[in-house]
Amino acid sequence: MHLYIIRHGETYGNLNGDGFTETDLTDNGLRQAFLLGERFKDERIDAIYTSTLIRAVRTGGEIYKYHKNANFNIFTTLMEKGTDKDYTGLPDDVLQNIVPDAVIRDRTPLGEEDQLKALERAKKVINTILSENDDNSNVVIVAHGMFNTYLILAATGLGLIPDFNFSQNNTGVTLIRYLYENGVKKTKLTYVNDCTHLISNF
């Protein structure tokens, strides 16, 4: 399996220093998301998972434009760590206006959350994705700068590293591969925070 963990495009919240509220993509963020979609247009993508926050849905939707046969799943459990504990995202019809075929899987608020609980949430997401997709699948997660660190730690089995973050620029792509070598299943962190699609003539 190829598991791509991606941060959403630039938002108005990123510009004003508030990345935890509901905030949409800027014009630059829309351009980043468009270029991200272009990056993946010739790949095979079997499933896309995003949070219920509009910035993630809109970014994932740019990939989905080229992969209409992929399953598009929306989860509150992929929301950014630090999101209001009672917030579950915009209404279904707003999100499905962006991706009409999206399936909104849950509306469970995050509640109070420390680092350990965030990691446990990330493990739950990763286990769900691994159970729903086979070894040959190419899967995309579009989530958030802080929570993506927990997803990477969960997906690689590294466990909690207190006060540590993987750098996650807007639309930065991290690839984790699950593969067999000599009959042994291995996990490989192939690259982190790749933004080459934002370079001209990528």
Side-chain angles (χ1 to χ4, degrees):
M1 178 188 291
H2 285 196
L3 179 63
Y4 298 94
I5 298 175
I6 303 170
R7 187 185 180 194
H8 58 79
E10 180 190 79
T11 69
Y12 292 100
N14 296 149
L15 295 182
N16 66 27
D18 184 3
F20 302 105
T21 58
E22 184 72 84
T23 178
D24 210 342
L25 300 185
T26 63
D27 288 343
N28 184 48
L30 291 170
R31 181 188 69 86
Q32 293 170 336
F34 170 79
L35 292 171
L36 178 70
E38 291 280 300
R39 172 187 181 136
F40 282 96
K41 70 178 181 180
D42 295 323
E43 300 287 333
R44 191 191 83 247
I45 300 298
D46 301 296
I48 300 169
Y49 296 80
T50 79
S51 78
T52 51
L53 299 178
I54 195 168
R55 55 194 184 268
V57 176
R58 204 177 295 283
T59 302
E62 289 298 314
I63 298 173
Y64 185 70
K65 286 179 181 178
Y66 298 103
H67 302 284
K68 293 296 181 69
N69 291 325
N71 296 314
F72 198 106
N73 305 272
I74 299 176
F75 286 86
T76 51
T77 46
L78 279 170
M79 289 199 300
E80 178 65 300
K81 183 181 183 297
T83 302
D84 183 284
K85 65 184 180 67
D86 297 316
Y87 187 66
T88 61
L90 294 172
D92 291 8
D93 62 329
V94 175
L95 301 181
Q96 289 172 322
N97 187 53
I98 300 168
V99 182
D101 297 323
V103 176
I104 298 170
R105 299 273 295 266
D106 72 71
R107 285 286 188 178
T108 306
L110 299 182
E112 298 289 349
E113 189 172 64
D114 58 14
Q115 291 185 328
L116 189 57
K117 285 185 178 179
L119 181 62
E120 289 304 311
R121 174 162 63 95
K123 287 179 180 178
K124 183 185 296 185
V125 172
I126 295 299
N127 288 337
T128 295
I129 289 171
L130 293 177
S131 70
E132 293 180 353
N133 298 276
D134 63 32
D135 291 339
N136 297 314
S137 296
N138 292 336
V139 177
V140 165
I141 298 173
V142 180
H144 306 273
M146 189 180 297
F147 190 60
N148 279 1
T149 284
Y150 295 97
L151 289 170
I152 296 167
L153 293 174
T156 56
L158 290 173
L160 183 64
I161 305 175
D163 302 313
F164 170 83
N165 277 305
F166 287 99
S167 180
Q168 294 282 296
N169 295 104
N170 292 117
T171 67
V173 181
T174 295
L175 172 60
I176 297 168
R177 293 186 299 150
Y178 300 97
L179 68 162
Y180 286 89
E181 290 184 352
N182 300 318
V184 178
K185 192 168 187 177
K186 295 188 175 182
T187 303
K188 293 195 175 185
L189 180 57
T190 306
Y191 55 76
V192 176
N193 195 37
D194 184 272
C195 296
T196 49
H197 53 280
L198 302 181
I199 300 172
S200 296
N201 301 318
F202 168 71

